[in-house]
Amino acid sequence: MSQYEESLVLPDDAHNQQLVANVHPSDWVNPELSGRYNIVVIGAGTAGLITAVIAAGLGAKVALIEKHLMGGDCLNVGCVPSKGVIRAARAWADLRRAEEFGVHIPAGVTYDFGAAMSRMRKLRAKISRNDSAQRYRNLGVDVFIGTARFAGADTVVVEGPAGNRTLDFTKAAICTGARAAAPPIPGLTEAGYLTNETVFSLTELPPRLGVIGAGPVGCELAQAFARFGSRVCLIEAQHGILPKEDRDAAQIVERQLVKDGVHLLCCGQDLTISRADGGKRLTVDSHGLRHEVTVDEILVGVGRTPNVEGLGLDAVGVEFDKAGIKVNGRLQTSNPRIFAAGDVCSRYKFTHAADAMAQIVIQNALFPHPFGLGYATVDSLIMPWCTFTEPEVAHVGMYEQDAKDKGIEVETYTFKLDEVDRAILDGEDEGFARVHIQKGSDTILGATIVAAHAGEMIGEFSVLMKAGVGAKAIAGTIHPYPTQAEVNKKVVNLWRKAHFTQATRNRLMKLFAWMRR
């Protein structure tokens, strides 16, 4: 493997050896060629894997090319390792508040960061079987390990360890994803830094950690490392954290981060970095004051760069810019035979978004639609997302301001978790559910949930929005008691009560009076 690939699978322990054996086997032999492919897929992250496996399952002849690690960011340096680390950090945090639940932890309890990271690597290796080269070969996909580039109108060259292969295709899909990028901060490169692509290789806890960027990645990992015991300083250029979320939602998470020991410097300006005092010094202006913080490691949690280099896109007329490959609503590039899906072309950098986009590519690339009728489009996607801090923040659809910007009259309702019995009993009652409903109807435009399991709870709103079913469906659905998900029904009931007018009540009172005669 290349030096880049090796950096993603440190330390060289049994767990990582198993991971590599699955997703980049050293003894892999690329298939012999036998005719034109219905579709050649470049990149074996989520978008590429889903495109390839569905196409093969439908009976198409499929080639899948990956130069690094199959599974992409999600398996190797994203969703899977981060959630393993977050879960371990939550266990440590639960121990520290155990007395609240009548559990008295004796003095001398030890914490082992190395063991927590080893657990993550073990579970990642186990999950990697699902994305392995051998599994996809067994499912009927021709898996090629090597570097791909377009060589002609309908050919892709794969440069592998045993020589080159030239693949002929009818259609192609570019699913090469994106990689972590660092902002142009003076001194950052010289000081050295971690990203999501390297932080999960740590085996020792940094005593002091500086985190740059208070978006989802920065907040999730700042909280996790603070719970492990690092002294964490979180630096954000904008005001507060999670700048894309509603302010009161972000403030709930911010309060918990501070409680967990994270030191927040927001509205950070003129950030510079230098080596000093056996560490790395961050100097930044925050709210008019100059701050100097010395840390052992720096984690950069902002910036993504699409992987478009070396693909030969100019040779086949595929347009791209710094934001990625340009596609239309059908995920078709400027070359009608070539499609793209996932982080390389999407503003939604989520695994589930890549999955959904792959299915759109399948429908549009493999099946003819005369006169443009019946095409699946990315514009129709209902896209939920979640930030996996504690509490979590999940959202789907529009925010209130989005609706107003589009000239849609909206009614917004919020129900707090401190009025939900299960949340109170769980000690997780700081949060809320919020729903935006189009005025004059029960159409759900969007929803936000702040709760311990918000990511699990937002799905109810997502399903209704996708199905075109309104708020009345939630109001009329029995929710088990006691659950935190009851908050979904309670917030919709606020809308229902708001539309029970005094005039309606007066008419009912007259009806009931007549019935008593």
Side-chain angles (χ1 to χ4, degrees), residues 183-430:
I185 299 171
L188 177 63
T189 301
E190 292 78 7
Y193 60 93
L194 301 168
T195 69
N196 71 290
E197 294 178 352
T198 52
V199 69
F200 300 115
S201 297
L202 292 177
T203 56
E204 296 183 4
L205 181 71
R208 303 165 298 179
L209 178 67
V211 180
I212 299 174
V217 172
C219 286
E220 288 178 4
L221 293 179
Q223 183 179 50
F225 275 85
R227 288 178 160 188
F228 282 136
S230 291
R231 291 169 52 193
V232 177
C233 180
L234 177 59
I235 298 174
E236 168 58 44
Q238 301 186 54
H239 183 69
I241 67 171
L242 302 176
K244 294 183 179 180
E245 301 295 345
D246 288 336
R247 286 302 81 211
D248 54 352
Q251 286 164 3
I252 292 173
V253 177
E254 183 178 325
R255 286 195 292 270
Q256 183 59 51
L257 262 62
V258 171
K259 188 183 297 185
D260 286 324
V262 175
H263 177 48
L264 174 64
L265 294 175
C266 65
C267 301
Q269 302 296 319
D270 298 325
L271 173 62
T272 60
I273 298 172
S274 60
R275 289 188 173 274
D277 302 328
K280 306 172 185 185
R281 179 178 295 165
L282 296 90
T283 304
V284 62
D285 291 334
S286 175
H287 294 284
L289 297 176
R290 193 71 168 163
H291 297 266
E292 289 190 352
V293 180
T294 301
V295 299
D296 301 288
E297 294 286 358
I298 297 170
L299 172 63
V300 175
V302 294
R304 301 284 290 167
T305 298
N307 294 320
V308 296
E309 299 85 358
L311 292 174
L313 299 181
D314 291 333
V316 285
V318 173
E319 295 181 5
F320 63 95
D321 57 21
K322 64 180 182 180
I325 292 176
K326 297 180 180 181
V327 293
N328 60 22
R330 301 193 299 273
L331 297 181
Q332 197 171 38
T333 71
S334 50
N335 182 328
R337 301 179 64 176
I338 301 174
F339 293 75
D343 290 4
V344 74
C345 65
S346 175
R347 65 189 180 98
Y348 296 120
K349 308 292 194 234
F350 312 128
T351 294
H352 50 278
D355 185 322
M357 294 172 75
Q359 296 180 56
I360 290 174
V361 167
I362 289 293
Q363 294 177 65
N364 293 327
L366 295 185
F367 298 97
H369 298 276
F371 312 111
L373 299 177
Y375 283 106
T377 68
V378 73
D379 306 316
S380 63
L381 294 177
I382 302 295
M383 188 62 63
W385 59 81
C386 182
T387 298
F388 295 93
T389 48
E390 187 176 6
E392 297 174 355
V393 181
H395 179 81
V396 65
M398 298 182 189
Y399 294 94
E400 184 175 15
Q401 190 59 50
D402 294 334
K404 291 179 178 178
D405 290 345
K406 294 185 178 189
I408 302 172
E409 291 189 273
V410 61
E411 298 177 17
T412 297
Y413 300 90
T414 302
F415 196 98
K416 293 185 177 181
L417 280 179
D418 60 10
E419 298 181 70
V420 177
D421 293 353
R422 181 60 184 272
I424 295 169
L425 296 168
D426 287 341
E428 298 170 340
D429 57 351
E430 189 168 15

Side-chain angles (χ1 to χ4, degrees), residues 83-123:
K83 301 315 167 280
V85 166
I86 287 169
R87 179 62 185 89
R90 191 175 80 229
W92 291 28
D94 286 344
L95 275 179
R96 296 189 182 107
R97 63 179 295 206
E99 194 163 337
E100 176 185 335
F101 300 95
V103 180
H104 302 287
I105 305 297
V109 171
T110 60
Y111 300 87
D112 189 338
F113 176 79
M117 297 299 280
S118 178
R119 171 187 178 272
M120 175 274 291
R121 295 192 300 274
K122 177 182 178 181
L123 297 178

Side-chain angles (χ1 to χ4, degrees), residues 144-189:
F144 292 83
I145 301 295
T147 301
R149 60 178 173 81
F150 290 100
D154 59 357
T155 58
V156 170
V157 172
V158 181
E159 299 175 1
N164 295 353
R165 299 275 201 280
T166 299
L167 283 56
D168 297 324
F169 65 82
T170 300
K171 298 289 174 62
I174 303 170
C175 305
T176 49
R179 62 187 183 275
I185 299 171
L188 177 63
T189 301

